[in-house]
């Protein structure tokens, strides 16, 4: 796991996205956006038709991802709500990359 470079604040946050977010390539687009932002973490579908996950990286990029998860998502998704929890500062990334968890 990589550590923060001098002056870079790392953040971690967990999320759950509600609405039409399954069957619309939401996880694939989330992985793509996370990689563009150099974030690590994971994303997966839930049995109750939501998508959950975690992202870690620079505070600025985590905030950009929070906005994307709340308002954009995949082209065919319809987000009705996005909840965030366990937002915290971290000293190093806890995941090696961003992955889609498939059950």
């Amino acid at each position: 796991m990589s550590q923060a470079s001098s002056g870079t604040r790392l953040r971690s946050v967990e999320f759950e996205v509600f609405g039409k977010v399954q069957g619309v390539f939401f996880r694939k687009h989330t992985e793509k956006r996370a990689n563009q932002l150099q974030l690590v973490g994971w994303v997966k579908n839930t049995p109750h038709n939501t998508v959950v996950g975690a992202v870690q990286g620079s505070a600025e990029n985590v905030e950009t991802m929070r906005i994307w998860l709340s308002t954009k998502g995949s082209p065919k998704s319809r987000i009705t709500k996005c909840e965030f929890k366990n937002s915290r500062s971290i000293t190093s990334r806890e995941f090696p990359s961003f992955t889609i968890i498939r059950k």
Side-chain angles (χ1 to χ4, degrees), residues 25-39 43 65 68 75 98-100:
F25 301 99
F26 194 92
R27 293 175 301 162
K28 179 181 175 183
H29 284 271
T30 300
E31 178 186 43
K32 180 180 177 182
R33 187 66 179 133
N35 286 330
Q36 289 170 343
L37 293 170
Q38 299 178 325
L39 299 173
V43 64
M65 188 67 168
W68 185 90
F98 194 90
T99 58
I100 295 173

Side-chain angles (χ1 to χ4, degrees), residues 10-66:
L10 293 179
R11 296 290 300 171
S12 178
V13 69
E14 296 172 14
F15 61 87
E16 183 167 11
V17 186
F18 299 80
K20 183 170 178 49
V21 292
Q22 290 191 11
V24 292
F25 301 99
F26 194 92
R27 293 175 301 162
K28 179 181 175 183
H29 284 271
T30 300
E31 178 186 43
K32 180 180 177 182
R33 187 66 179 133
N35 286 330
Q36 289 170 343
L37 293 170
Q38 299 178 325
L39 299 173
V40 298
W42 56 273
V43 64
K44 72 176 184 176
N45 286 340
T46 71
H48 50 281
N49 298 319
T50 65
V51 172
V52 296
V55 292
Q56 297 180 338
S58 74
E60 180 180 344
N61 288 354
V62 167
E63 182 59 26
T64 299
M65 188 67 168
R66 286 173 66 125

